[in-house]
Amino acid sequence: LISMAATNLAARFAGSYRAPPRVNRGSRSTRRTVVTVRAAARGEFASFFPDEVSALEEPAAVEMAKKARQVSVAVPGRDKPVMTSCVSSPAPKGGEDVSPFVLIHGFDSSCLEYRRLFPLLTERAEAHAVDLLGWGFTDAGDGGIGDYSPEAKRAHLYAFWKQEIGRPITLVGASLGGAASIDFATAHPECVERLVLVDAQGFIEGLGPMGMFPRPIALAGVNILKSRPLRNTANQMAYCDRGTFATEDAMRVGQLHTFQPQWADATLSFMKSDGYKVAKRVREITQKTLVMWGRQDNILDPAYAERFAEEIPDSKLVWVEQCGHVAHLEQPKFMAQTLFDFAGVEAKVAA
């Protein structure tokens, strides 16, 4: 029963799962590579990271983790400030007038998901990769026993925006982060100038029966999400070029936040809220919207991309070739340039 519960959650997150097709790897000389190197000593990372951070190898992951910080954010309705983990970079010279990019990660993930895209965006604009309430390394100080519903996540993100940014943003949401971004953009249109949905969840309502199980069973099911077999499966499903990107180190990056003491209970709280239900609000999006979708996405059916483009009044669809579910990880240079073009960011600000 526990295994079925975890499998159900993974399936609902995945949407219409399709078996990954065989990928033509091409010749050895044309294959891309991800450089690895042993991480820095534990002391070079913030204390809020679990000790497992020292096992990371990819330079982009190591550098992103080194730059992460926690910001104390007062959120109305919560007894304690939320220690919000994020990676932020101010606007470069000449980019002060560019709307900041705010990057929202997917289901049960962290800001480290944007480790390859974030540095490219900071060359021309202010940027923030933020851990949603209950995920990543954000700590609400209640041990995960509290409100971690979509409404609570939205209230936290608004408080962060108000305190740390305070001007209209280009909001980028990937996968379930897309649902969170739709929720935020329609609730707080004054905060969002442009919206970017990357292989976004938006038409799958709720999380299924997981929240109805007795707490011990549901908590055991949540803990299966932490397991190496499930994480490795998700890792393999995420990419088009699995040989290059679905590495052991990528799995470690995706698993890292699950070692946080509040992770299981906070995730269970979200599960019991039944998750995001934003399908009826897609047509209410008023912002200019860019829909980006990996042509080889095996987690969310690419047919959803065309549905977003049809239902969002002012939208543009861009297909990302040779790409699975995570364009920000598999095609970061293409995605960065597409975001700059969409936001009207000129190359001259990078000087």
Side-chain angles (χ1 to χ4, degrees), residues 85-119:
S85 54
C86 60
V87 179
S88 299
S89 180
K93 184 178 180 180
E96 296 85 357
D97 295 332
V98 175
S99 296
F101 288 100
V102 175
L103 312 177
I104 305 299
H105 60 76
F107 174 83
D108 189 24
S109 186
S110 78
C111 61
L112 299 183
E113 182 178 314
Y114 286 102
R115 59 192 179 273
R116 297 172 195 157
L117 177 67
F118 183 85

Side-chain angles (χ1 to χ4, degrees), residues 104 171-174 176-186 192 195-197:
I104 305 299
L171 183 61
V172 182
L176 190 82
S181 296
I182 293 168
D183 175 73
F184 187 81
T186 52
V192 182
L195 180 64
V196 181
L197 302 176

Side-chain angles (χ1 to χ4, degrees), residues 7 18 41 46 82 101 115 140 151-152 155 203 207 224 244 260 273 291 312 332:
T7 301
R18 299 173 294 125
V82 177
F101 288 100
R115 59 192 179 273
E151 294 77 17
F203 298 110
L207 291 168
I224 290 177
T244 297
Q260 297 295 89
S273 75
V291 179
I312 299 174

Side-chain angles (χ1 to χ4, degrees), residues 89-98 121-127 349-351:
S89 180
K93 184 178 180 180
E96 296 85 357
D97 295 332
V98 175
L121 296 180
T122 62
E123 294 176 1
R124 303 190 194 179
E126 177 182 339
V349 303

Side-chain angles (χ1 to χ4, degrees), residues 38 49 54 69 75 78 85 90 115 119 129 133 155 159 172-173 176 202 222 225 242 268 273 279 284 292 305 315:
R38 280 292 168 189
F49 279 109
S54 61
R69 62 187 177 120
V75 181
R78 303 195 83 91
S85 54
R115 59 192 179 273
L133 179 73
V172 182
L176 190 82
V222 165
L225 294 174
R242 297 184 294 280
L268 180 58
S273 75
E284 300 173 8
M292 297 190 71
S315 63

Side-chain angles (χ1 to χ4, degrees), residues 23-91:
V23 177
N24 183 357
R25 303 295 183 194
S27 65
R28 183 178 301 272
S29 62
T30 61
R31 286 186 60 185
R32 292 171 290 181
T33 59
V34 175
V35 177
T36 62
V37 64
R38 280 292 168 189
R42 176 64 182 88
E44 296 192 41
F45 300 98
S47 60
F48 59 78
F49 279 109
D51 288 343
E52 288 80 0
V53 69
S54 61
L56 301 185
E57 297 177 350
E58 183 189 345
V62 173
E63 288 305 307
M64 192 79 166
K66 284 182 179 180
K67 293 176 181 177
R69 62 187 177 120
Q70 281 186 331
V71 178
S72 178
V73 177
V75 181
R78 303 195 83 91
D79 295 335
K80 299 179 180 179
V82 177
M83 299 306 295
T84 304
S85 54
C86 60
V87 179
S88 299
S89 180

Side-chain angles (χ1 to χ4, degrees), residues 329-344:
L329 287 168
E330 197 160 13
Q331 299 288 355
K333 291 182 179 179
F334 175 81
M335 182 169 173
Q337 188 56 56
T338 302
L339 293 182
F340 290 147
D341 293 343
F342 173 66

